[in-house]
């Protein structure tokens, strides 16, 4: 099992450009999450999904959109990137009922200039 | 979700037990206590969780006070590889599984040789 994978690992964007971050998991997990982590801070939840076709807002959803068209994939989109979105983005997944552990991917380091 | 308070940093000698405290005085009855750790910019790693009773697994022990207002994570024999930021999180459950986790800034545990 690869676990949780994220694509790409690094990306540099110019202000106003758009991009999509891909998260994939091969554990058949129901729940998936997107977090961001800024220097010296803990992780903040952006959006999450409790099942295929569902999404919900987390703590800091503004400027991001998500989609969960397939159970194994969770996409995070930035329509018009801003320097404030420079961060490390982590994806995670967990089982449905009885799943207390979130499994995290290795992260995507995004810089917006 | 309940807010948690942790010391910013702690030191521990290699081979000794590391005791990491956490206050969560506003935790509600159905919220669990979770511990995760993050080793140098990697994705966070689940350690342990509990509701009321003390818990132990192959990584650590979790001691929760009777009033559930605080808890302690114990690493019985700390090694250099345990140097990491440790996050204590009080979070809810949705559909029988972990839902949103609110990460704080955690405790930086430095294990000294």
């Amino acid at each position: 099992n690869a676990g949780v994978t994220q694509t790409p690992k690094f990306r540099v964007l110019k202000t106003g450009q758009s991009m999509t971050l891909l998260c994939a998991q091969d554990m058949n997990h129901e729940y998936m999450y997107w977090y961001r982590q800024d220097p010296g801070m803990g992780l903040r939840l952006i959006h999450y999904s409790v099942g295929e076709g569902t999404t919900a807002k987390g703590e800091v959803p503004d400027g991001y959109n998500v989609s969960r068209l397939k159970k194994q994939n969770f996409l995070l989109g930035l329509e018009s990137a801003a320097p404030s979105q420079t961060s490390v983005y982590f994806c995670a997944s967990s089982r449905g009922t009885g799943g207390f552990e979130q499994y995290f991917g290795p992260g995507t380091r995004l810089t917006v200039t | 979700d309940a807010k948690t308070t942790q010391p910013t940093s702690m030191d521990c000698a290699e081979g000794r037990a590391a005791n990491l405290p956490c206050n969560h005085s506003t935790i509600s009855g159905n919220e669990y206590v979770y511990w995760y750790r993050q080793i140098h910019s990697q994705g966070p790693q689940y350690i342990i969780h509990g509701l009321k009773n003390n818990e132990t697994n192959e990584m650590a022990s979790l001691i929760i006070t009777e009033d559930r207002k605080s808890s302690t994570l114990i690493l019985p024999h700390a090694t250099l590889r345990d140097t990491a930021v440790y996050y204590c999180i009080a979070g809810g459950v949705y559909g029988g599984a972990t839902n949103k986790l609110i990460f704080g800034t955690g405790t930086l545990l430095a294990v000294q040789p």
Side-chain angles (χ1 to χ4, degrees):
Chain A
N1 283 354
V4 179
T5 58
Q6 295 183 230
T7 309
K9 290 185 169 55
F10 302 93
R11 184 73 186 266
V12 178
L13 285 180
K14 294 187 186 305
T15 298
Q17 288 184 320
S18 64
M19 79 163 295
T20 300
L21 281 67
L22 170 64
C23 176
Q25 52 93 4
D26 61 2
M27 297 173 282
N28 200 34
H29 284 171
E30 290 293 330
Y31 295 4
M32 297 187 74
Y33 314 80
W34 275 108
Y35 294 87
R36 63 176 286 176
Q37 185 173 33
D38 299 324
M41 297 183 66
L43 281 73
R44 292 184 292 169
L45 183 65
I46 304 172
H47 286 281
Y48 64 100
S49 168
V50 298
E52 182 178 319
T54 75
T55 62
K57 295 180 180 180
E59 292 180 86
V60 289
D62 294 342
Y64 305 94
N65 56 76
V66 287
S67 64
R68 182 101 181 269
L69 298 180
K70 292 183 179 180
K71 186 176 183 179
Q72 64 267 34
N73 295 338
F74 196 26
L75 305 179
L76 178 71
L78 287 73
E79 290 187 350
S80 180
S84 60
Q85 294 178 304
T86 293
S87 191
V88 180
Y89 292 84
F90 289 102
C91 176
S93 70
S94 64
R95 289 193 293 140
T97 301
F100 291 94
E101 176 179 353
Q102 288 190 15
Y103 295 79
F104 283 80
T108 294
R109 187 173 298 274
L110 175 66
T111 302
V112 183
T113 61
Chain B
D1 291 342
K3 181 182 166 81
T4 61
T5 305
Q6 300 177 251
T8 302
S9 63
M10 295 181 63
D11 287 343
C12 177
E14 189 176 19
R16 303 297 294 269
N19 295 275
L20 290 87
C22 179
N23 286 319
H24 32 79
S25 58
T26 60
I27 194 169
S28 62
N30 63 351
E31 287 183 320
Y32 285 70
V33 178
Y34 303 88
W35 283 84
Y36 281 75
R37 73 180 183 183
Q38 187 174 26
I39 298 173
H40 189 56
S41 300
Q42 296 177 19
Q45 176 190 24
Y46 165 87
I47 301 173
I48 200 166
H49 75 277
L51 184 62
K52 296 180 182 178
N53 300 323
N54 298 337
E55 303 288 344
T56 295
N57 63 22
E58 64 279 4
M59 289 184 67
S61 295
L62 173 61
I63 309 297
I64 303 175
T65 58
E66 194 169 340
D67 63 8
R68 301 208 330 121
K69 292 184 177 182
S70 65
S71 61
T72 301
L73 179 75
I74 302 171
L75 307 179
H77 305 286
T79 71
L80 298 178
R81 286 177 294 182
D82 292 322
T83 292
V85 177
Y86 287 77
Y87 297 100
C88 168
I89 303 159
V93 172
Y94 172 82
T98 294
N99 197 14
K100 299 175 288 181
L101 296 180
I102 307 297
F103 286 76
T105 52
T107 296
L108 174 58
L109 175 68
V111 181
Q112 309 291 344

